[in-house]
Amino acid sequence: MKKIKDFITENLIFGGLLVLVLGVPVIFSPYTQSNVYLIKAVFIQCVVLALFIFWLAKKFLLRESFSRIPLITPLLAFLSLGLFSLALSPFRYAVWEEFLRFLSFFIFYFLIVEEIKDDRREALLMDILVLTAILVSLYGIIQRLGFPIFKWIPKEMRVMSFFGNPNFFATYLVAVIPLLLVLTLTGTKRRRLFTGIALALTLACLVFAATRSAWIGFIFSLIFLGVLAQRAKVVVFNLRKPILPLIILSGTIFLLVLNHDLILKRISEIWTPHGAVSQRWHIWKVTWSMIKSSPIIGSGLGTFPIIFPRFRYLNSSIDIPYGNLQHAHNEYLEIWSEMGLIGLGIFLCFIISFFVYAVRHLRYRKERGIMVVGLLSGIM
């Protein structure tokens, strides 16, 4: 009985984190994209808060010491500003909803730092990430073959897997592909094969998602990966047995040629008068008006969809054909409009501090350099 208790105490939180890493991407709803967001948000918030409560109880009952959490200062500053906007904003429900979302992600980061401290857990987490990439990409391929569940995008076959939105799916792919790339070129033969399959599937889905910003982001991530690997003097690529990388590269080129019509169509739509790019420019124009009305403290966390209609210009419905716009389609402008220059400054401080901390860690812990390079490149 004691062994069971000790096993649960030591592994429950880590197991819960693995459930989130695997479960959140594969949660889906067969109805509408809004249900996808709602189910994912509720699931991750409930599980994260439950794990955090269990972690606190374990710490106090076992009288364990608290670890030093990197970048805790900008994180707490951002949360404090969110609470400040909760106290001042007349739209407290919207602020509270968004605050809980941010809080759940910060707690998730906190628990990852606390629980992933040895090579065994680190390797298992990487395996779960690879497995998740395979599952979501396989479903994306199934959609491409003509068996979609989500049908909210008319006349298009842009795959979105379980994410309910091709842009969100492509964002996920761009984040994990650099990690898959470095893992494919290193490690044991079995692990290279496992990650190679995941890499091939994710690259195919990146093409099929047809998200232009993701294509641009992917190019920048590869450039960053090469520069970082060279500057940090980390041996990332092991090309003594280049058969698998060459097969994947050849397959990707073949996919690009095979889907050149889709790619050229998406690129040509950039310059259409009322296309998505044009609409975003007009959205940013209205968002800038919101920013100018309260540049320092913003309108309040999560209040963008409430405040945005007040600043729409005459006949803006022609340029922005959305009845209820939820986001600014630009993280920096949206944070500035909601949390002001103070919030944007804290957010940028966190991003810069994160990369500085990670590169410094890479310099002193080169045995983990391959994984760090892959993760950083995806985040970039």
Side-chain angles (χ1 to χ4, degrees), residues 125-349:
L125 180 62
M126 292 299 104
D127 289 340
I128 293 295
L129 283 171
V130 175
L131 175 62
T132 305
I134 290 176
L135 291 176
V136 298
S137 300
L138 277 175
Y139 184 61
I141 300 296
I142 291 172
Q143 286 180 331
R144 180 63 178 177
L145 294 175
F147 302 97
I149 290 179
F150 301 100
K151 298 180 180 179
W152 63 276
I153 296 183
K155 299 180 183 179
E156 284 193 83
M157 197 51 199
R158 296 175 60 195
V159 303
M160 60 198 79
S161 188
F162 301 109
F163 289 78
N165 186 311
N167 297 334
F168 292 174
F169 181 36
T171 301
Y172 168 82
L173 295 173
V174 172
V176 300
I177 286 176
L179 177 63
L180 296 175
L181 175 61
V182 298
L183 292 178
T184 300
L185 297 169
T186 57
T188 63
K189 183 178 180 180
R190 181 178 298 179
R191 186 178 293 273
R192 289 203 308 269
L193 179 62
F194 186 48
T195 53
I197 293 171
L199 179 61
L201 293 173
T202 51
L203 285 171
C205 285
L206 184 62
V207 176
F208 298 150
T211 299
R212 292 162 298 207
S213 59
W215 294 340
I216 297 172
F218 176 60
I219 293 171
F220 274 95
S221 72
L222 291 183
I223 295 172
F224 182 80
L225 189 152
V227 172
L228 183 61
Q230 191 273 331
R231 289 289 181 89
K233 294 181 172 59
V234 176
V235 179
V236 176
F237 305 115
N238 180 7
L239 296 179
R240 288 176 296 178
K241 297 180 180 179
I243 297 177
L244 182 60
L246 287 176
I247 292 174
I248 295 172
L249 178 61
S250 301
T252 304
I253 294 173
F254 178 73
L255 275 176
L256 292 174
V257 174
L258 199 63
N259 294 272
H260 70 280
D261 290 341
L262 172 65
I263 297 171
L264 293 176
K265 177 177 179 292
R266 291 294 291 162
I267 294 174
S268 65
E269 288 174 350
I270 294 176
W271 294 276
T272 55
H274 297 288
V277 175
S278 174
Q279 292 169 14
R280 281 166 172 76
W281 279 113
H282 291 292
I283 291 170
W284 298 340
K285 178 181 177 181
V286 178
T287 305
W288 180 244
S289 299
M290 294 171 58
I291 291 171
K292 290 191 292 185
S293 69
S294 183
I296 305 301
I297 62 173
S299 61
L301 187 64
T303 59
F304 179 86
I306 301 173
I307 305 298
F308 185 87
R310 302 180 183 182
F311 290 86
R312 296 185 72 140
Y313 51 86
L314 189 64
N315 297 325
S316 63
S317 58
I318 299 174
D319 300 320
I320 311 173
Y322 300 102
N324 182 22
L325 194 69
Q326 297 296 311
H327 298 286
H329 294 274
N330 184 303
E331 295 292 340
Y332 304 98
L333 288 180
E334 184 165 336
I335 290 176
W336 194 352
S337 68
E338 291 186 345
M339 305 191 72
L341 197 58
I342 299 174
L344 179 63
I346 295 173
F347 182 69
L348 293 175
C349 177

Side-chain angles (χ1 to χ4, degrees), residues 12-33:
L12 179 64
I13 297 175
F14 177 65
L17 294 175
L18 295 183
V19 168
L20 287 172
V21 172
L22 176 63
V24 171
V26 300
I27 290 176
F28 74 99
S29 166
Y31 303 109
T32 64
Q33 57 165 329

Side-chain angles (χ1 to χ4, degrees), residues 116-126 191 365 367-368:
I116 314 298
K117 291 183 176 180
D118 58 68
D119 294 339
R120 182 183 64 85
R121 288 191 171 187
E122 189 178 280
L124 183 56
L125 180 62
M126 292 299 104
R191 186 178 293 273
R365 297 287 301 276
E367 70 276 7
R368 303 174 71 183

